[in-house]
Amino acid sequence: MTGDFYKEHVVRAGSLVHVAAVSIAALVLLALLDPLAAADRKFYDDDPIAVEPDPQDASKVLPWDIDLIWDLSYNTFARPGDSTPNVRARNINTIDEVPDSSWFTNRILARSVSDSEAARGPLTGEGPAPGRWSVIARKSAGAAPGFTVRDARDQVWFVSFDGAGHPEAATGALLVANKIFWTLGYWQVENYLTSVRLDNLDIAETATFESRPGHKKVMERGDLEDVLRQAHRSADGSYRAVAARAIPGTPLGGFRYHGTRSDDPNDVVPHEHRRELRALKVFAAWVNLTDMKAGNTLDTRVTENGRTIVRHYLQDVGSALGSGALGPHDPDEGWEYLFDGDKMTKRAVSFGFYLQPWQTASYEKHVAAGRFEGDAFDPPAWRPRTPSGAFVRARPDDTFWAARRVQAFSSEMIRAIVKSGGYSDPNAERYIADTLIKRRDKVSAAYLPTVNPLVGFALGEDGALTFENAAIKADTAAPPSGGYTARWATFDNATGTTQPLGETSAPQTTLASPPGLARTTGTFVQVAVTALDQRYPSWGAPVTVHFKRQPQNWKLVGIERLP
Amino acid sequence: MRRLALAVVLALLSGVTHAAAQESRQQLLEQEKAAKAAAVVPYEPDKAEKIFNWAMDSFLLSPQGFLPLITSIPKGDNVFHGGGIAWGAMYRGFLGDRAGWSASGLVSIPGYTHADVSIDALRLARGRLALRGGAGWTSGARIPFYGVGAGSSQENQTNFGVEMGYVGAQLRATPLPWFVLEGSTAIEDFSTKEGSGSKPSIETVFTFPDVPGLLSAPRYLHSSASAGIDWRPVAGFAKRGRPVVGYARSGGLYQVTYHDYRDADETYSFSRVDAEAVQHIPILRENWVVSLRGLVQTTLDDADVVPHFLMPMLGSGDSLRAFGTARFHDRHSMLMQAEWRWIPNRSFMDMALFYDAGKVAADRNGLDFDGLEHDFGVGLRVHGPLTTPLRIDLAKGREGFRIVWAGSAVF
C-alpha cells in the first residue's frame, strides 16, 4: 500500500516535470517561430478594428458566485492581477480606441448622441404594464429594499425603492447613473421609474424568499410589508420605485476587475488591462459611483446569431451621486477607501487633526441629492469604497480616453439626463445637474492636460497634418507657447524600422509635411507630434501616429499616446 | 497528465502556426480566443479563497451551527469580574423564522466558566418586541474584593468564589424606534465560597457584618423594569443586564432601571435603581466624537442588607479603568466618564483620550463630588459596524497604570 502511494506520487511528480519541460520547450519554440515576435507586421489591412470578435462558443460557461467579503478583502489588502507595472491597455485597437465588444459599445464621442437619446438611455419600452403585479420573490442581494414582480404582460421586473426617510435619493441616483453609463457605452439594465401601491400587489403562490441562509420560506403578506417598511412611503400611500427589466440571457454572476473568467473562451484580456474597466476610475469619480464591487456587475450568457457569448453588465450603478441604497453616502465615501493605512496612521498620530476635504466639504441640502458636491471634488483623489485591479492600473492614456468622453456630455445633455431621474423638487434637480457639470469640468481639467492631448489626426492630400488639442478645446489648457513639432519618417510595416523624413513646426494645429513624402499605395508614414510648453511637460512626449497610403487618401491606422 | 501536456503543446503550437498565417487583426484575435477555447476550465477558487470562505461561512456568516467564541465571561449584574478573556463555543439553531436558540459554553484562563441555553425571538410584533428566555450557570473562583466603602485599601485585596445558576426571561419593547421598555424576571441561585489564586481568600481578611453576605448562598427572584430613550444607531440587546452598544458615534441613551431582589428567606432582599445617561456628540462629520456617560446606582431602602457581591461597584475596564477590578463596593455609586474620540478609520478603528471619575458611598447623600476617585488615559479600539472586538485602554490613576484589554465598547 505504501509502495503504491509512493509510486503514484512519484509518477505524478514526474508527469508535472514532464509537462513543465514540454511547455517550456514549446514556449521557446514559440518565441523562435512567432512571426509577431520576430518580424511580423505592425498593422494589418483591417486595422483599426471597430469590433472585438467573440468567435468562440461560450455555452459551457458556468454560473459562479463571487463572495462579497472575499472580494472586498482581497481587493483592499492585496493587489490582484498582473504585477507588471505600467502596462498599456490590451484591448485597444491600433488607434488607441476601445472596439465595441461584449463589454462596451462606443456611443458618446464615437458617434452623435442626442440629448433625448442619452436621457432615454437603455430603455426600449414603456416599463411595467399597468394593472396588478404578482410578487414572485423578495430581493436577496444588496441593501436596498425590493422584490421581483411579474406584470400583466408576464414580464419580470426587479423593483427597488428609496430608503425610508430619503425620498427620490436612491431611485433618482440609479436612474441618472444608469443613463450616464449607457451613454458612455456600458451594458446597462433597463430601469424605469414607477410607483407601487401595496394594494396593487398580489403574492404568487410560488413566491418564496430566503428567510435565513439555506431556508426558503413561502412569502406572505407580512413579508411584503416587512420590505415596504424599509422603503420610503409617499404621503398618498404609494412607493416610488425603479423597475428593472430582467436582463436577457442566463445570469452567470458578476465579473472581477482582474484576471479573466477561466471558462469563457472569449475572455482573453485580463480585466485589469481592459481600458473600459480602467476608465471607470474617471467615470465613477464623475458620478460618484462608490460601490464598484464585483457583486454590482453581472455576466449573462446570451445567444445571438446562433452563437453563445458572455455579455458583461455594470448591473447596479445605484450607489452614485450622493446616495447609497438606504440613505446618503457616508461622509468619506468617494474620498477614501474603506481601508487606507497611510491616512489611518496620520489621523491616529495627529489626534484626528489630519483633516481631509470630506470633513469640511459643504453640501447644498437636498434629501434627493444626498452627499454630492463639486467644489471640493478632486478627480485623481477620488476613491471608491475598495480599489480594484483595473482602478489601480489606469494610466494617463486611459484616464485621458475617459475624460474625453466625460467632456463630451454637454451641459444640456446632463440636464436632460438628470431630468429623467424624476425629481419632484426642481431645486434638487438643478443642484444635481449643476454638480455633475462642475465635476465634469474638473474631470476634464484633471485628466486632459496630463498627457499629450492631441487627437483627431488627419493627413491631407496636400501633405498637411491636422489635429486638435483636446485640452485646449475643453478650455482646460492654453495653447503651447512653443507651438507644435512633428518628426516625420517612413515606416516599414514588416520590420518596424523607420527612415527619417524631416521635422516641421507650427504654432497652430496644422503642420506641413517635409518634402519626399511617398505616395505609393500601401506605404506607411510615421509622425511623432509634440507640443512645447513648460507648463505642460507631458506634452513633450510625442503622440506617434501612423498613416497608410490608400489609392485616394491617407488612412489613419495608428495612434500611440503612451508606449 | 499526458493529455494535459499534449493540450498545452497543441495550444501553443497552434498559436504559432495560426499566427504565422494571420492576414488580419480579426484572425489574430480569433486565434487568441481559439487558443483559450482549447484550455477552458471551470473556475476553481485558490486555496486562500477557499480557506477564507470556509472560515467566514463557518464562524461569522452562518447563523446556525457551531461557532467558536472569544469573549468575556458575562458579568451578570456586576458579579463576575476578573474572568479575563474567555474561549468557548456556541451552537445556534432556528425555531421557525423569527426565533432561534443557542447553547454556549465558555472557559477563561483564571478558571471562570459559563454555560447557557437560551431562546430568542427578536422580531415579534413587526420588530417592536423581543423576547428572550434562558437558563444557565456561571462560576468564578478569583473575584477580587477589597472591602466595603470608599476607603478600602488596595493592600486588602482578597478573592472569593461565586456560583450562580439562573433561569429567567426578558422582554424588550420598542413602541417607538427610540423609546425602549424592558422587563425581566429570573431565579438566580447564588453560592459564594472561598477564593482561590495568589490573594488571600475573603474570609481570612473580612468578617460579617463588615462584609454582608460573606460566604452566603441566597436564592433570588430578581425582577427588573426599565424605561428609556435610546437613539444610538446600533444599540443592541444585552443577554443579561443593560442594553449594549456595539459601536456608536452619535445619539444617546437615557434610561432608568429598577431592580428588585427577593431573597427566598428574605435575609438579603433589596431594591436598587440604576440611572444611566450616555450622549455621543459628533464633531466635523464624526471626525471627533465627545462621548459622555453618567451612571448612578443606588440601593433604595437603608434597612436592606445587600450582599457584597451585588453591591454597586466601581473599578473595571468599563468604569474606573486605572483601578483594580471591583476595587470599590458600597450601597451607592456614581460614575462619570468622558471620552474625546478621534476616528483614524471610520470602518475599523477609533482612538480616545478618556477621563473617569466616580465614588461609592454608604449613604445616598454621600454621592457628591467630594473625594472622587479619578483616572485618565488613552485607548485604541478596533471595531466593526456592530461590534468592538478589541479595546485596549491605558489608564493612569492614583494607584498606578493599568492596561485594559476588552472585547466590547466601554459605553
Side-chain angles (χ1 to χ4, degrees):
Chain A
M1 193 67 182
T2 306
D4 290 345
F5 177 83
Y6 173 75
K7 183 180 174 184
E8 184 181 348
H9 281 72
V10 168
V11 170
R12 282 186 180 173
S15 298
L16 284 171
V17 171
H18 180 68
V19 170
V22 171
S23 301
I24 290 168
L27 286 169
V28 170
L29 189 63
L30 185 64
L32 291 174
L33 298 181
D34 183 356
L36 291 175
D40 196 19
R41 70 200 80 175
K42 182 178 179 75
F43 300 106
Y44 289 88
D45 289 344
D46 58 345
D47 280 328
I49 60 163
V51 178
E52 176 186 334
D54 277 336
Q56 295 297 321
D57 174 48
S59 59
K60 292 190 173 60
V61 178
L62 298 172
W64 69 2
D65 184 23
I66 299 175
D67 183 82
L68 169 67
I69 298 177
W70 169 258
D71 183 51
L72 295 181
S73 304
Y74 193 50
N75 280 292
T76 296
F77 297 108
R79 188 187 163 95
D82 183 5
S83 59
T84 311
N86 195 32
V87 175
R88 192 179 184 210
R90 286 178 47 188
N91 68 315
I92 52 177
N93 61 19
T94 53
I95 57 167
D96 212 41
E97 290 293 339
V98 175
D100 290 350
S101 69
S102 57
W103 295 82
F104 188 81
T105 305
N106 281 281
R107 295 192 180 98
I108 196 162
L109 195 66
R111 66 170 175 83
S112 173
V113 178
S114 69
D115 296 352
S116 59
E117 184 185 7
R120 184 158 182 82
L123 309 190
T124 59
E126 296 302 324
R132 300 191 68 78
W133 292 355
S134 177
V135 178
I136 57 177
R138 199 166 91 167
K139 187 168 177 276
S140 58
F147 40 67
T148 310
V149 303
R150 193 182 297 280
D151 69 7
R153 285 195 289 259
D154 210 30
Q155 174 72 48
V156 173
W157 301 89
F158 299 96
V159 183
S160 62
F161 301 91
D162 293 306
H166 303 282
E168 302 180 1
T171 53
L174 175 56
L175 292 167
V176 171
N178 181 223
K179 312 295 171 45
I180 287 176
F181 279 98
W182 180 88
T183 306
L184 286 166
Y186 296 90
W187 291 97
Q188 287 290 291
V189 180
E190 288 185 51
N191 287 308
Y192 295 86
L193 182 60
T194 188
S195 179
V196 177
R197 300 191 72 90
L198 183 59
D199 55 13
N200 199 39
L201 298 174
D202 300 319
I203 300 175
E205 288 182 6
T206 56
T208 59
F209 70 102
E210 203 172 57
S211 61
R212 57 179 193 257
H215 180 75
K216 291 272 186 188
K217 178 183 181 298
V218 174
M219 197 174 219
E220 298 168 355
R221 204 74 185 169
D223 301 313
L224 204 56
E225 291 167 3
D226 278 351
V227 173
L228 290 175
R229 245 192 306 281
Q230 302 173 60
H232 184 80
R233 188 168 181 263
S234 303
D236 65 356
S238 67
Y239 297 85
R240 178 181 144 120
V242 167
R245 190 193 296 274
I247 295 174
T250 305
L252 299 170
F255 63 78
R256 291 187 159 108
Y257 286 92
H258 62 272
T260 59
R261 195 162 183 142
S262 60
D263 56 355
D264 180 1
N266 295 310
D267 189 12
V268 295
V269 176
H271 301 171
E272 68 271 26
H273 295 323
R274 296 199 71 93
R275 172 164 282 174
E276 70 275 9
L277 296 187
R278 291 180 176 186
L280 286 170
K281 176 176 183 171
V282 175
F283 300 145
W286 177 36
V287 301
N288 207 28
L289 178 66
T290 58
D291 194 1
M292 296 173 65
K293 58 179 179 275
N296 282 342
T297 67
L298 183 67
D299 285 348
T300 61
R301 192 172 53 218
V302 294
T303 302
E304 288 180 348
N305 303 321
R307 197 172 62 245
T308 301
I309 61 166
V310 177
R311 184 169 290 156
H312 313 274
Y313 283 79
L314 289 184
Q315 182 204 17
D316 184 353
V317 292
S319 62
L321 309 183
S323 177
L326 298 173
H329 281 321
D330 281 344
D332 60 345
E333 262 189 272
W335 303 87
E336 289 182 18
Y337 297 135
L338 284 176
F339 180 86
D340 185 322
D342 179 56
K343 290 191 173 74
M344 194 171 87
T345 304
K346 288 174 177 168
R347 270 197 211 102
V349 300
S350 69
F351 294 84
F353 283 94
Y354 175 70
L355 293 177
Q356 292 295 290
W358 62 265
Q359 290 158 317
T360 53
S362 61
Y363 300 90
E364 199 171 300
K365 285 187 172 50
H366 300 282
V367 173
R371 286 197 178 95
F372 189 48
E373 68 82 52
D375 291 327
F377 171 57
D378 177 16
W382 183 89
R383 294 288 182 271
R385 290 165 66 84
T386 52
S388 73
F391 183 92
V392 300
R393 286 173 180 80
R395 307 193 321 164
D397 52 348
D398 301 317
T399 53
F400 173 82
W401 178 89
R404 286 191 68 209
R405 275 150 182 78
V406 173
Q407 179 60 33
F409 281 78
S410 69
S411 299
E412 293 71 26
M413 179 182 284
I414 289 171
R415 293 192 190 286
I417 289 173
V418 173
K419 193 169 187 62
S420 76
Y423 296 103
S424 59
D425 177 2
N427 287 325
E429 180 185 312
R430 172 201 50 76
Y431 175 72
I432 291 169
D434 287 349
T435 305
L436 278 170
I437 290 166
K438 198 176 288 181
R439 290 171 76 102
R440 173 201 65 189
D441 294 342
K442 285 203 166 187
V443 163
S444 300
Y447 291 120
L448 291 180
T450 50
V451 290
N452 190 332
L454 306 184
V455 296
F457 290 95
L459 185 55
E461 280 306 286
D462 58 354
L465 177 71
T466 56
F467 50 90
E468 286 182 339
N469 185 317
I472 295 173
K473 189 179 179 189
D475 282 334
T476 59
S481 56
Y484 300 96
T485 299
R487 291 193 306 276
W488 299 72
T490 58
F491 177 75
D492 186 329
N493 191 38
T495 65
T497 57
T498 56
Q499 285 290 331
L501 288 173
E503 187 173 297
T504 58
S505 297
Q508 291 87 27
T509 55
T510 300
L511 293 168
S513 57
L517 195 63
R519 292 179 179 273
T520 311
T521 298
T523 58
F524 289 82
V525 62
Q526 173 181 298
V527 193
V529 189
T530 56
L532 299 178
D533 194 314
Q534 289 183 338
R535 293 169 295 177
Y536 312 111
S538 61
W539 296 11
V543 176
T544 304
V545 295
H546 290 86
F547 293 94
K548 182 181 181 182
R549 183 63 198 177
Q550 310 276 65
Q552 303 299 325
N553 56 12
W554 290 98
K555 177 187 178 187
L556 178 70
V557 293
I559 297 180
E560 198 169 283
R561 198 167 304 280
L562 288 178
Chain B
M1 282 297 172
R2 285 177 183 163
R3 269 184 288 180
L4 176 60
L6 187 62
V8 170
V9 173
L10 286 176
L12 293 171
L13 291 181
S14 67
V16 172
T17 52
H18 283 77
Q22 302 317 317
E23 289 302 326
S24 70
R25 184 72 60 186
Q26 175 91 5
Q27 288 177 332
L28 192 68
L29 294 172
E30 287 176 355
Q31 182 51 42
E32 192 178 1
K33 299 186 177 188
K36 181 172 179 183
V40 290
V41 290
Y43 173 72
E44 183 70 21
D46 63 20
K47 193 172 284 184
E49 185 176 353
K50 281 180 182 173
I51 291 172
F52 183 91
N53 289 339
W54 171 80
M56 295 300 291
D57 291 344
S58 302
F59 302 140
L60 287 178
L61 300 179
S62 174
Q64 57 187 336
F66 279 103
L67 76 160
L69 294 177
I70 302 175
T71 181
S72 303
I73 296 286
K75 292 185 174 63
D77 189 12
N78 269 342
V79 177
F80 293 95
H81 294 286
I85 294 176
W87 286 265
M90 170 187 277
Y91 185 89
R92 293 186 295 199
F94 284 103
L95 298 169
D97 288 310
R98 294 175 188 265
W101 70 277
S102 68
S104 62
L106 290 169
V107 179
S108 75
I109 289 177
Y112 289 35
T113 57
H114 172 73
D116 180 88
V117 177
S118 62
I119 297 172
D120 302 283
L122 299 178
R123 292 188 294 130
L124 304 174
R126 298 183 173 181
R128 291 188 178 130
L129 275 182
L131 181 64
R132 168 169 280 134
W137 184 80
T138 310
S139 79
R142 292 198 329 206
I143 300 173
F145 184 73
Y146 296 80
V148 176
S152 62
S153 167
Q154 192 181 15
E155 310 303 321
N156 282 346
Q157 183 182 354
T158 62
N159 286 337
F160 68 99
V162 178
E163 293 178 357
M164 179 185 75
Y166 61 87
V167 57
Q170 192 176 5
L171 180 71
R172 176 184 168 99
T174 49
L176 297 170
W178 46 268
F179 183 44
V180 183
L181 296 170
E182 285 184 34
S184 71
T185 187
I187 295 171
E188 297 174 352
D189 188 9
F190 290 94
S191 174
T192 58
K193 56 187 181 181
E194 295 86 353
S196 63
S198 60
K199 301 297 180 186
S201 182
I202 187 170
E203 79 284 359
T204 65
V205 175
F206 300 103
T207 56
F208 187 86
D210 297 335
V211 176
L214 186 66
L215 301 183
S216 63
R219 176 182 293 174
Y220 285 110
L221 175 64
H222 175 196
S223 304
S224 71
S226 73
I229 56 174
D230 186 355
W231 70 100
R232 295 169 300 176
V234 285
F237 187 42
K239 201 149 195 172
R240 291 170 52 76
R242 64 187 173 84
V244 294
V245 161
Y247 187 78
R249 297 194 190 102
S250 60
L253 163 75
Y254 294 84
Q255 185 174 47
V256 176
T257 304
Y258 170 79
H259 291 274
D260 182 65
Y261 282 86
R262 285 295 110 200
D263 185 6
D265 65 9
E266 292 293 329
T267 306
Y268 295 109
S269 294
F270 67 96
S271 301
R272 195 185 78 219
V273 167
D274 299 348
E276 182 173 23
V278 172
Q279 184 65 56
H280 301 290
I281 305 167
I283 300 171
L284 202 63
R285 299 197 177 116
E286 299 178 351
N287 187 55
W288 297 286
V289 179
V290 175
S291 294
L292 306 169
R293 179 194 186 202
L295 173 66
V296 172
Q297 295 185 302
T298 180
T299 305
L300 290 181
D301 192 333
D302 292 342
D304 287 344
V305 179
V306 183
H308 67 90
F309 54 90
L310 286 174
M311 283 181 169
M313 179 279 298
L314 292 179
S316 70
D318 56 8
S319 59
L320 293 176
R321 279 168 273 192
F323 291 85
T325 300
R327 177 66 183 79
F328 303 102
H329 283 85
D330 215 326
R331 297 173 64 84
H332 312 275
S333 74
M334 62 184 282
L335 172 70
M336 293 158 288
Q337 295 177 293
E339 293 204 342
W340 171 268
R341 297 177 180 172
W342 70 99
I343 321 293
N345 180 285
R346 287 179 56 84
S347 305
F348 300 105
M349 184 200 285
D350 76 333
M351 299 182 72
L353 294 173
F354 61 81
Y355 176 79
D356 307 317
K359 68 187 292 188
V360 295
D363 299 314
R364 199 171 299 120
N365 292 338
L367 294 182
D368 54 25
F369 295 102
D370 294 332
L372 290 172
E373 297 287 357
H374 57 91
D375 62 39
F376 60 92
V378 62
L380 182 150
R381 298 85 193 270
V382 178
H383 62 78
L386 299 175
T387 61
T388 301
L390 179 63
R391 171 167 60 91
I392 306 170
D393 289 340
L394 172 64
K396 169 77 170 68
R398 69 175 171 86
E399 293 182 350
F401 286 95
R402 290 185 75 85
I403 296 178
V404 174
W405 296 83
S408 58
V410 61
F411 62 88

